[in-house]
Amino acid sequence: MVLTLHWTASTDNVGVIGYDVYRSVNNAPFTFVRTTSTTSFTESLLGVVKYQVRARDAAGNVSGFTAVANIVPPPCPAPQDRQPPTTPGAITLSITCALVVTLNWGASTDNVRVIGYDVYRSINNGPFTSVATTPTTSFTDSLLGIAKYQVRARDTSGNVSAFTAAVLAVPPPCPAP
């Protein structure tokens, strides 16, 4: 990270020839860094730093120091999470005679945090479509025919895991009412 200081030019009856830049790193005493002939100074940021500048004229006279400029490095952005969660564990299901299907699967893990699971369904061999996102490792649905289900995990950065293997849900033979 690079820091650039700017200040207003000084005036003098003999003529300003330069500016002495002093620095204090992490509250250490101020030390001379260098003299510059311009009204700016650039260097790499070294942590929590304080600067003071004074003018120097052709006769060797120096001005008083500027007010202390306190420089604190800005917070760095958190590293981006690009790692997807692990694939959820295999789906198990149970179906009632009221044609309610309950899916359960093993929890995924992630390097940051899993925040939920996307449940996809295919009815009568149609395309898989999203039917729910749940923060838990179970889902209950009304069985609308022969269905297949698959699940994937989602983390806090929006990364998604691979899908589980699809499981088939077939309405059970139930006694007549």
Side-chain angles (χ1 to χ4, degrees):
M1 184 170 290
V2 175
L3 163 81
T4 300
L5 297 173
H6 298 277
W7 56 86
T8 305
S10 292
T11 58
D12 184 73
N13 64 339
V14 175
V16 174
I17 62 165
Y19 300 90
D20 298 335
V21 179
Y22 285 76
R23 173 183 58 217
S24 167
V25 179
N26 298 323
N27 287 322
F30 278 91
T31 58
F32 175 75
V33 179
R34 78 168 194 230
T35 299
T36 178
S37 59
T38 65
T39 57
S40 67
F41 170 76
T42 301
E43 74 173 350
S44 295
L45 193 56
L46 306 169
V48 177
V49 185
K50 297 177 185 177
Y51 290 94
Q52 286 185 307
V53 177
R54 69 181 180 188
R56 175 175 300 282
D57 72 12
N61 299 312
V62 292
S63 70
F65 281 102
T66 60
V68 174
N70 293 302
I71 310 298
V72 177
C76 294
Q80 290 205 340
D81 173 22
R82 291 188 172 90
Q83 181 177 332
T86 60
T87 304
I91 300 172
T92 60
L93 54 86
S94 62
I95 306 170
T96 68
C97 285
L99 298 181
V100 173
V101 60
T102 301
L103 288 69
N104 292 288
W105 56 87
S108 293
T109 58
D110 187 61
N111 63 321
V112 177
R113 185 169 69 95
V114 172
I115 60 168
Y117 298 89
D118 300 330
V119 180
Y120 282 72
R121 176 182 65 203
S122 164
I123 298 175
N124 298 324
N125 284 323
F128 278 93
T129 58
S130 175
V131 292
T133 296
T134 176
T136 65
T137 57
S138 66
F139 173 71
T140 300
D141 195 22
S142 295
L143 195 56
L144 305 172
I146 296 175
K148 291 180 186 174
Y149 291 91
Q150 58 187 172
V151 176
R152 69 181 180 187
R154 178 175 300 281
D155 71 11
T156 56
S157 298
N159 299 312
V160 292
S161 71
F163 280 103
T164 60
V167 294
L168 186 63
V170 178
C174 292

